[in-house]
Amino acid sequence: MAPTPYVHPAVDSTAVFKSDLFKGKVLFCTGGGSGICKAMTEAVMRHGASATIVGRNVDRLTQSAQELSKATGQECLAVQADVRHFNQLRDAVARAIERFGTIDFVICGAAGNFLAPINGLSVNGFKTVIEIDTIGTYNTIKATLQHIRASKGSYIHVSATLHYRGTPYQVHVSAAKAAVDATSAVLAVEEGPHGIRSNVIAPGPIGGTEGMDRLSPKGDAQQVVYPRLPAGRLGDVKDIANMTVFLFSDAANFVTGQVIAVDGGHEHLRGPSLPYPESVLDPNAVKHMIKPRL
């Protein structure tokens, strides 16, 4: 019998970082109403920060804000806004400033994705993902920049590893996230002299998230394929949250302009998640493996 690989467990940030690390700080997070970004927000709040979360679904956003406040003992403000529209983001930032007086940290996390080959992807579908991920990131930067300059704060952009190589059925998000990575690098260079840092977190396969569920093939693929990565397990939202806490902390004040993959080594062993070349030669042959759009 082959030896069993060692697996490091996911840990809470509070087991590593001081509980009052971000006391008096304020976070502004797009996409913070669910999934990875909600976990990132919760981690920052657990260390003393207040937060504003922004999204389109006001009911889910309001519920998430209540859950985050209850879990952390810190205040969380829910503000409805669509990141594709700058005026809405500008108003959301104004609400945050009115309530908290400052913004120290920004997470650009709003995103959209679904599986589709280029031949089956509509122009509008491609455009929508670019608008949410890339233009939404730029709009968030533009709306918050003067406040982050004032606080000498920091940005984290949530990206992906899909564009590091050609990933079938992911041209829209690959293009969008490549642009996000490039935008963060320019932001780091231009705004570094003003005291601002900008970095990217690129999550790998994170279990228990809507995105992982929708973008992985139906069936047992998640259980069969992903535990074979070097870390020996699927990622946990805590893994992304811990990197968030580190990058916003003073321990990372010499880290800027970086793209950091938090993927358990997945990228080194990654193959296509759908059968190749069957999935590109005959998309109908794999339609039963694809979940509804996000």
Side-chain angles (χ1 to χ4, degrees):
M1 179 180 293
T4 302
Y6 182 81
V7 178
H8 288 281
V11 300
D12 291 318
S13 63
T14 50
V16 180
F17 300 96
K18 295 192 302 181
S19 60
D20 62 348
L21 183 64
F22 299 135
K23 184 178 181 180
K25 301 294 186 180
V26 178
L27 168 69
F28 185 90
C29 178
T30 64
S34 63
I36 289 173
C37 291
K38 183 181 178 183
M40 295 168 76
T41 299
E42 181 175 341
V44 176
M45 291 177 67
R46 284 188 181 280
H47 293 276
S50 303
T52 298
I53 56 173
V54 178
R56 289 179 289 174
N57 187 324
V58 66
D59 292 335
R60 181 167 68 176
L61 203 66
T62 301
Q63 180 179 344
S64 293
Q66 293 171 350
E67 292 170 351
L68 288 167
S69 294
K70 183 177 180 180
T72 66
Q74 302 297 322
E75 183 174 357
C76 185
L77 175 67
V79 181
Q80 184 181 24
D82 188 330
V83 297
R84 294 174 291 183
H85 303 295
F86 175 74
N87 289 344
Q88 293 185 27
L89 265 179
R90 181 189 57 195
D91 293 344
V93 169
R95 288 273 306 278
I97 293 297
E98 179 183 16
R99 178 64 191 89
F100 299 116
T102 187
I103 297 174
D104 301 280
F105 308 130
V106 175
I107 295 173
C108 298
N113 196 7
F114 50 89
L115 292 169
I118 294 174
N119 190 49
L121 176 65
S122 70
V123 170
N124 187 62
F126 183 89
K127 178 183 177 183
T128 297
V129 172
I130 294 292
E131 286 179 337
I132 296 172
D133 290 48
T134 305
I135 297 177
T137 293
Y138 180 79
N139 286 342
T140 304
I141 293 168
K142 195 72 172 176
T144 57
L145 186 56
Q146 70 180 88
H147 304 292
I148 298 300
R149 275 190 175 187
S151 65
K152 309 302 181 191
S154 181
Y155 288 88
I156 291 176
H157 314 274
V158 181
S159 186
T161 61
L162 299 165
H163 55 286
Y164 299 171
R165 61 183 79 180
T167 302
Y169 285 57
Q170 292 285 265
V171 66
H172 42 325
V173 74
S174 294
K177 294 304 191 184
V180 168
D181 291 2
T183 299
S184 176
V186 174
L187 181 63
V189 171
E190 288 191 354
E191 294 298 322
H194 294 283
I196 293 174
R197 293 186 298 111
S198 177
N199 291 290
V200 171
I201 294 177
I206 306 299
T209 61
E210 184 179 5
M212 181 68 181
D213 180 60
R214 296 285 184 89
L215 297 173
S216 297
K218 291 182 180 179
D220 298 328
Q222 292 185 27
Q223 288 71 35
V224 173
V225 175
Y226 292 114
R228 295 178 182 171
L229 54 78
R233 63 172 173 85
L234 280 171
D236 190 287
V237 292
K238 294 177 182 178
D239 298 312
I240 309 301
N242 290 338
M243 181 56 70
T244 302
V245 173
F246 168 70
L247 286 176
F248 279 151
S249 77
D250 287 341
N253 65 15
F254 199 59
V255 180
T256 191
Q258 301 304 306
V259 177
I260 302 173
V262 182
D263 71 343
H266 177 238
E267 183 60 23
H268 296 293
L269 298 175
R270 176 165 68 92
S273 59
L274 293 170
Y276 184 86
E278 294 84 355
S279 60
V280 294
L281 289 173
D282 182 12
N284 287 327
V286 298
K287 187 175 292 186
H288 67 285
M289 301 177 66
I290 299 174
K291 295 180 176 65
R293 294 187 175 188
L294 291 174

